[in-house]
Amino acid sequence: MNEKRFPSGFLWGASTSAYQIEGSPLADGAGASIWHRFSHIPGRVAQGDTGDVACDHYRRWRDDVKLMKELGLQAYRFSIAWGRILPEGTGKVNQKGLDFYRALVDELGAAGIEAMATLYHWDLPAALDERGGWLNRDVASWFADYAEVAYRELDHGVRFWATINEPWVIVDGGYLHGTMAPGHASPYEAMLATHNVLRAHGEGVAAYRAIGRNQVGIVLNLEPKVAASESEDDRLATIRTDAYMNRQYLDPIFRGSYPEELKEVYGEGWQSFPEADFEVIGRPIDFLGINYYTRGVTAADPTVPYERARRIPQPNAIVNAVGWEVHPNSLRDLLVRVSEEYTKIPLYITENGAGFYDPPAPIDGRIEDPLRTDYLRRHFMAAAEAMEKGVDLRGYFVWSLMDNFEWAHGYSKRFGIVHVNYATQERTIKESGKFYSEVIRTNGGILKRK
Ligand code: BGC
């Protein structure tokens, strides 16, 4: 009676990204990416880890599709490495790179698994970075040209296209704080990169309208911000940090402008842009992908650059291995907010999951990860609650299909529902993965209401 089933047709899947799992970054004529370069700079990634081997998915993809089948996944979200297809970023197409993704897409189709392809999950071709990368206005047309090549080759088997994964992380890590590739730290560059990433998205959508037959959207990472106290300073800090992380992207895509508060965040780095750009950025999309991991309880702190706000750790909260608070109700609230304030187009959770302290190796063939199972269970329930409140949520992709290269953390953080032994490349479905299989098999029927 008190079981929770999801609407029929609800799509259950899992996500990965190219640089995080593929390995063989330069194989078959691929051009180096900014992440390949960045991870090879000593001190940039924990333990000196790189994506050189990662999960060796570039060679083991067939087995990985079998694994997806074993899990019962209905959909798989992966990303395409731009530099495999266009080694220089523009110009000459590398057929071998296209062949890799075509084979993957066809294998998914044969397995009855829907494909969601992300065109950009942070691995810009290094050759384009040398021409200014996301700071060069031309990047929007470079991206559209690349997107078109991918659409032409793969649209037959890709039901959902996501242009860009998480513009906020691209900009915050890559251009404002320098913690991620390409490692710049400048408010002027950050604002410019935001704008060009969004223009690229818009041009990618336009290119799809000309030739595509399925759906195109974008993936944003959104994080509800709540004030740590009722003080006026904390209230304003919360508005600022919400503008920076969430509205910086939601507003131009759905409302045609940047939030005013961004001026306070970027200070002298603030710029204004031609009105016509916002028409490009706001081109109608078919779905919005939302990545949700945590919330941010926020207090004013004038010593923190740009945002002048700080995240306040919560007493008694469960936090994951990356230090993120587990807070499922914020997922529900976020979905309701997006649906009430921004858009009625279908929503997909394109990433949700947690890096926890898993045992480093299977014990009696099992990886017990009860915290991850609990995390997923509670977030699935929160998503169901959002749907009861009228949110048009169509699917859910868990991050991640398997443990992988967790960017600046290297291999030290494990987010997978499948464990990867990096020495042998052996995969073991974790207990959370088995739980997820049951959720999928019963379409949520095994989830108990609390
Ligand atoms: C990214 C993933 C990443 C995950 C966990 C998201 O920001 O899209 O690539 O692994 O979060 O940090």
Side-chain angles (χ1 to χ4, degrees):
M1 269 291 102
N2 57 359
E3 286 173 351
K4 183 75 223 149
R5 290 188 68 83
F6 282 67
S8 76
F10 192 83
L11 201 58
W12 297 99
S15 294
T16 62
S17 89
Y19 190 73
Q20 292 180 276
I21 65 163
E22 286 176 356
S24 310
L26 305 179
D28 297 329
S33 73
I34 54 174
W35 263 98
H36 178 69
R37 290 210 173 151
F38 190 76
S39 67
H40 281 266
I41 300 171
R44 292 306 207 156
V45 175
Q47 303 94 229
D49 290 343
T50 72
D52 287 2
V53 178
C55 306
D56 198 22
H57 172 79
Y58 190 72
R59 297 190 303 174
R60 293 168 194 265
W61 57 275
R62 256 182 235 281
D63 289 341
D64 288 336
V65 174
K66 281 196 196 115
L67 192 63
M68 294 175 213
K69 235 187 144 171
E70 198 182 326
L71 281 162
L73 295 188
Q74 298 165 345
Y76 174 53
R77 172 173 175 253
F78 61 96
S79 81
I80 297 173
W82 187 337
R84 289 201 193 279
I85 294 190
L86 294 150
E88 297 297 315
T90 57
K92 206 174 122 296
V93 172
N94 178 33
Q95 189 58 42
K96 283 191 173 161
L98 278 176
D99 291 347
F100 169 70
Y101 293 107
R102 176 181 269 266
L104 173 65
V105 160
D106 291 345
E107 188 86 355
L108 288 169
I113 298 170
E114 300 276 10
M116 180 184 280
T118 305
L119 286 162
Y120 186 74
H121 201 125
W122 311 353
D123 45 1
L124 189 76
L128 294 184
D129 192 47
E130 285 162 11
R131 297 162 70 185
W134 290 110
L135 304 175
N136 186 329
R137 239 185 112 78
D138 292 344
V139 72
S141 61
W142 300 337
F143 178 78
D145 291 349
Y146 150 59
E148 193 180 323
V149 176
Y151 298 150
R152 282 196 195 286
E153 184 81 15
L154 305 171
D155 197 42
H156 67 280
V158 173
R159 183 164 146 206
F160 306 96
W161 289 92
T163 52
I164 305 276
N165 180 70
E166 302 192 349
W168 182 81
V169 177
I170 297 171
V171 171
D172 181 77
Y175 290 91
L176 191 63
H177 297 297
T179 51
M180 302 184 112
H184 300 194
S186 147
Y188 177 82
E189 290 192 1
M191 173 100 225
L192 187 55
T194 277
H195 193 66
N196 286 334
V197 164
L198 288 173
R199 288 177 49 246
H201 153 73
E203 297 296 4
V205 171
Y208 194 69
R209 294 297 175 228
I211 52 176
R213 285 170 306 177
N214 298 306
Q215 298 189 31
V216 66
I218 188 169
V219 169
L220 303 180
N221 58 307
L222 301 174
E223 188 176 299
K225 303 290 188 183
V226 288
S229 82
E230 283 170 11
S231 79
E232 184 63 1
D233 281 355
D234 286 356
R235 194 181 68 83
L236 292 174
T238 306
I239 292 175
R240 220 164 31 242
T241 197
D242 179 54
Y244 175 58
M245 187 160 182
N246 302 315
R247 291 171 49 217
Q248 179 168 201
Y249 302 97
L250 286 167
D251 282 16
I253 291 171
F254 295 110
R255 292 183 180 163
S257 63
Y258 290 111
E260 283 289 304
E261 295 84 358
L262 273 192
K263 285 185 189 164
E264 295 171 49
V265 174
Y266 287 125
E268 289 175 14
W270 170 264
Q271 300 142 69
S272 48
F273 299 102
E275 217 23 67
D277 288 357
F278 292 93
E279 275 156 44
V280 173
I281 293 169
R283 291 218 165 96
I285 50 179
D286 303 311
F287 71 93
L288 174 66
I290 294 177
N291 295 352
Y292 172 78
Y293 288 93
T294 190
R295 68 166 176 170
V297 179
T298 307
D301 184 343
T303 68
V304 175
Y306 314 119
E307 288 171 84
R308 287 177 291 117
R310 185 161 55 89
R311 186 187 299 268
I312 304 295
Q314 294 306 291
N316 305 322
I318 301 173
V319 292
N320 75 7
V322 195
W324 299 342
E325 181 190 359
V326 175
H327 204 269
N329 285 348
S330 290
L331 171 61
R332 178 200 59 206
D333 298 348
L334 165 66
L335 291 169
V336 170
R337 177 192 186 191
V338 169
S339 151
E340 287 182 355
E341 294 179 19
Y342 284 97
T343 182
K344 296 291 180 212
I345 58 174
L347 305 180
Y348 288 82
I349 294 168
T350 33
E351 288 180 30
N352 172 246
F356 278 118
Y357 304 92
D358 300 341
I363 300 170
D364 292 335
R366 292 157 71 92
I367 296 276
E368 302 279 356
D369 58 341
L371 290 173
R372 183 173 294 102
T373 299
D374 191 54
Y375 180 99
L376 293 175
R377 179 201 311 279
R378 293 172 63 201
H379 285 80
F380 296 153
M381 296 300 294
E385 282 176 36
M387 287 189 283
E388 280 160 18
K389 289 178 181 291
V391 173
D392 187 4
L393 182 70
R394 302 283 180 95
Y396 206 118
F397 293 73
V398 168
W399 184 272
S400 175
L401 171 65
M402 56 186 145
D403 296 336
N404 57 47
F405 178 79
E406 179 51 32
W407 307 112
H409 295 292
Y411 298 99
S412 68
K413 308 291 177 205
R414 294 177 175 269
F415 276 76
I417 53 171
V418 173
H419 174 268
V420 176
N421 175 328
Y422 293 113
T424 62
Q425 292 297 341
E426 195 184 338
R427 277 73 158 138
T428 306
I429 296 178
K430 298 180 192 177
E431 294 309 296
S432 62
K434 296 178 192 166
F435 160 75
Y436 189 38
S437 292
E438 279 303 289
V439 172
I440 299 172
R441 196 181 58 75
T442 61
N443 196 23
I446 63 155
L447 299 168
K448 294 274 183 295
R449 278 173 193 275
K450 287 243 163 93

